[in-house]
Amino acid sequence: MVGIVGYGAHMPRHRIKVEEIAKVWGADAPSYKKGLMLREKSVPPPDMDTITLSVEAAKNALKRAGNIDPADIGAIYIGSESHPYAVKPSGTVVAEALGATPDIHCADYEFACKAGSEAMFVCLGLVKSGYIKYGLAIGGDTSQGAPSDALEYSAAAGAAAFIMGTDNLIAEIQETHSFMTDTPDFWRREHEFYPQHAGRFTGEPAYFRTTMGAADAILKKSGMKPRDFAYAVFHQPNGKFPMRVGKMLGFTKEQIEPGWLSPTLGNTYSGASPMGLTSTLDIAKPGDMILMVSYGSGAGSDAFIWKVTDRIDEVRDKAVRTRKLLDENLTYVDYGTYAKFRHKILKNE
Amino acid sequence: MFPSRIWRDSKHRYRLEAGKCTKCGKIVFPYRLICPECGHREFEKVILPDTGKLMTYSVIRVAPSQFTDQAPYAVGIAELENGVKLLAQITDCDVEKIKVGMEIRIEFRRIQTDSHQGVLSYGYKFVPKWY
């Protein structure tokens, strides 16, 4: 059997409230909060980026994995749309920081918000084939939204890491399915700083058709119904979309809520549904079934069905829980500090 | 910072790799070729613990050019759980609230950026321990 041996997440402690952003742009905060079902988002300080978030998330995954030797990790894949370098893989630094070099395969992935689940899918496959003993899959971002754009209210930072293997599993993979079409709902051209999006088109047909396509297919393949799952995790570009798509599929609010981080975290892009899975594993019981469906603009979804094992009770508190990082020790910043942190102010070099 | 220096320092800056003298047990960080305590030349690799207590600190208000955006910020010396003392920047905190004796955790952070074009430098910093 193949599955998750260790998992972990990391996020900044800084937050900015929707009201603080709306105040600067003369926008109506209550309507944004209601429309996006989102109250605040995480803000990475200048010394935090996708690489540093990935390292800390991976360290937490290693703590939960127990006594595995980082040198036994045969592949590291980091999915992100905010890799610090355009040319030079984030995974090189992360693998070095973990002590997993030099006998390791490395690649950075990019597929808008589903690059992290791509890494998970490939690691599962390589472990299952026997090519590697362990695979480290990370989804993380320090995403950018253009000033005053709707995305600015949600684009946030965070990362989740999963070590895939065959022994001492926390969650076994039961089924996977990927769904992908050419649907241009969100993009960023070469050398552009901020992404562009196609407004409401990003919802229907992009997010909903794609997420539903992957979810319906994996339910059909597995012969399972929404009631067979303890929890479901969906990509969360805002607070509203994952709740709506879950209800369209027949899931209840109670099944979705443990992995529903976006109302106070924002959209961590490649980290979004992977972080939702970490938060769900934090409270899951042995035998629970979890559906996870990512979504990446462009557009595609990766769906996974996980079965939680007895080992979860043994390892969940070997590293910090995701909700604790989300809810405690917070520092709220004003728009000026946020603009400085996110390099939105141009200075002479 | 030159890429070659980043590469040379990565073992200790990235993963707190130190050397423990196989004769007298002294831990040296960064790694050395000769033990300053007993002159022995053999070390075993040890990874430093990632928590400790702050022994002293200083707040930098007039920063070197590559750190001006971060001012005011603090650098401090912490004693780690195994007794090794380490110097690092203290991040994620209000400098007015830093106290000698406070517990710290070591996190992997970006140390400096060499303009928009240059190589990125990573390493360890202290953050207040809160969990």
Side-chain angles (χ1 to χ4, degrees):
Chain A
M1 187 54 78
V2 178
I4 297 168
V5 178
Y7 71 92
H10 196 61
M11 67 181 79
R13 63 178 291 200
H14 300 87
R15 302 283 184 276
I16 188 167
K17 290 183 178 291
V18 165
E19 286 86 349
E20 181 65 22
I21 300 172
K23 184 175 72 181
V24 171
W25 301 113
D28 183 41
S31 68
Y32 269 103
K33 288 171 80 173
K34 188 180 172 195
L36 297 172
M37 286 177 75
L38 187 148
R39 302 191 296 278
E40 59 197 50
K41 67 168 189 172
S42 66
V43 179
D47 62 356
M48 192 178 266
D49 60 24
T50 294
I51 286 176
T52 68
L53 284 163
S54 297
V55 169
E56 292 299 327
K59 283 186 192 169
N60 286 333
L62 278 167
K63 285 176 188 168
R64 289 195 174 98
N67 295 320
I68 78 164
D69 183 350
D72 285 336
I73 297 172
I76 177 169
Y77 300 126
I78 301 178
S80 180
E81 62 122 56
S82 51
H83 292 291
Y85 287 103
V87 177
K88 186 186 184 321
S90 299
T92 56
V93 181
V94 177
E96 198 74 61
L98 300 175
T101 56
D103 300 311
I104 186 167
H105 188 256
C106 168
D108 283 357
Y109 289 166
E110 184 271 322
F111 194 146
C113 297
K114 90 166 182 86
S117 65
E118 287 180 321
M120 294 168 71
F121 180 85
V122 175
C123 280
L124 285 169
L126 288 174
V127 168
K128 188 173 181 179
S129 69
Y131 273 121
I132 58 173
K133 185 173 182 184
Y134 298 112
L136 174 57
I138 301 173
D141 259 307
T142 54
S143 52
Q144 282 278 18
S148 87
D149 187 270
L151 283 180
E152 192 181 24
Y153 294 88
S154 59
F162 298 89
I163 298 169
M164 306 300 183
T166 54
D167 300 322
N168 293 319
L169 300 181
I170 294 167
E172 301 167 354
I173 189 71
Q174 303 290 301
E175 192 64 83
T176 67
H177 187 82
S178 291
F179 182 102
M180 195 271 290
T181 62
D182 177 16
T183 308
D185 62 320
F186 171 101
W187 61 91
R188 180 164 61 81
R189 296 278 301 277
E190 186 100 73
H191 307 305
E192 289 297 307
F193 194 60
Y194 297 116
Q196 302 280 321
H197 59 87
R200 291 184 183 278
F201 185 80
T202 60
E204 191 61 70
Y207 176 90
F208 290 102
R209 172 174 174 256
T210 308
T211 306
M212 298 278 290
D216 282 336
I218 201 169
L219 291 175
K220 191 175 175 187
K221 273 167 95 171
S222 63
M224 295 177 72
K225 305 283 183 206
R227 64 173 179 273
D228 298 326
F229 293 88
Y231 304 105
V233 182
F234 300 101
H235 175 55
Q236 32 207 290
N238 49 50
K240 183 181 267 185
F241 280 18
M243 272 296 169
R244 183 183 286 178
V245 82
K247 285 179 182 169
M248 288 162 73
L249 286 160
F251 290 91
T252 63
K253 190 179 176 188
E254 290 69 31
Q255 287 171 297
I256 300 166
E257 264 181 340
W260 189 48
L261 309 177
S262 50
T264 50
L265 177 61
N267 179 8
T268 55
Y269 283 50
S270 303
S273 52
M275 290 178 80
L277 180 61
T278 65
S279 178
T280 304
L281 288 169
D282 280 344
I283 54 101
K285 295 185 295 296
D288 281 349
M289 304 294 286
I290 302 171
L291 173 69
M292 170 189 164
V293 187
S294 68
Y295 170 74
S297 289
S301 283
D302 297 321
F304 305 84
I305 294 175
W306 305 99
K307 183 177 183 183
V308 180
T309 74
D310 294 343
R311 192 167 166 264
I312 191 70
D313 291 332
E314 185 188 318
V315 306
R316 79 174 93 232
D317 287 319
K318 286 191 172 176
V320 62
R321 294 192 186 195
T322 303
R323 281 277 172 196
K324 190 173 180 68
L325 292 172
L326 183 65
D327 296 339
E328 298 178 26
N329 192 40
L330 305 180
T331 299
Y332 287 90
V333 297
D334 57 20
Y335 194 88
T337 305
Y338 158 77
K340 178 183 163 185
F341 277 13
R342 302 304 293 130
H343 309 291
K344 289 173 188 281
I345 301 169
L346 289 179
K347 288 177 63 189
N348 285 332
E349 285 274 326
Chain B
M1 191 181 282
F2 283 111
S4 54
R5 183 174 167 197
I6 290 174
W7 181 79
R8 272 200 309 276
D9 292 349
S10 66
K11 280 181 186 162
H12 75 266
R13 285 185 187 271
Y14 282 18
R15 55 178 185 262
L16 299 173
E17 206 173 293
K20 185 175 181 181
C21 177
T22 56
K23 188 176 174 191
C24 73
K26 184 175 178 62
I27 296 174
V28 292
F29 181 86
Y31 214 86
R32 292 190 186 201
L33 294 175
I34 301 171
C35 176
E37 200 72 24
C38 69
H40 194 60
R41 288 172 180 261
E42 284 180 17
F43 295 87
E44 61 172 321
K45 184 178 81 176
V46 292
I47 303 295
L48 298 182
D50 64 359
T51 53
K53 277 189 179 173
L54 192 66
M55 298 175 68
T56 185
Y57 69 98
S58 179
V59 176
I60 313 293
R61 298 181 192 277
V62 182
S65 58
Q66 65 268 46
F67 298 106
T68 50
D69 285 356
Q70 298 178 44
Y73 62 89
V75 293
I77 296 173
E79 182 172 1
L80 305 183
E81 283 173 359
N82 63 351
V84 170
K85 297 174 185 71
L86 201 60
L87 172 74
Q89 185 176 338
I90 309 166
T91 191
D92 269 12
C93 65
D94 179 347
V95 293
E96 307 302 332
K97 292 182 179 169
I98 297 173
K99 286 190 170 60
V100 169
M102 70 187 239
E103 290 191 286
I104 57 92
R105 181 187 301 280
I106 292 174
E107 278 197 9
F108 190 80
R109 295 292 179 106
R110 193 186 278 195
I111 303 295
Q112 59 177 296
T113 58
D114 184 9
S115 75
H116 286 300
Q117 293 82 34
V119 71
L120 300 171
S121 167
Y122 293 93
Y124 53 85
K125 289 188 182 180
F126 300 148
V127 297
K129 188 181 172 193
W130 63 275
Y131 63 83

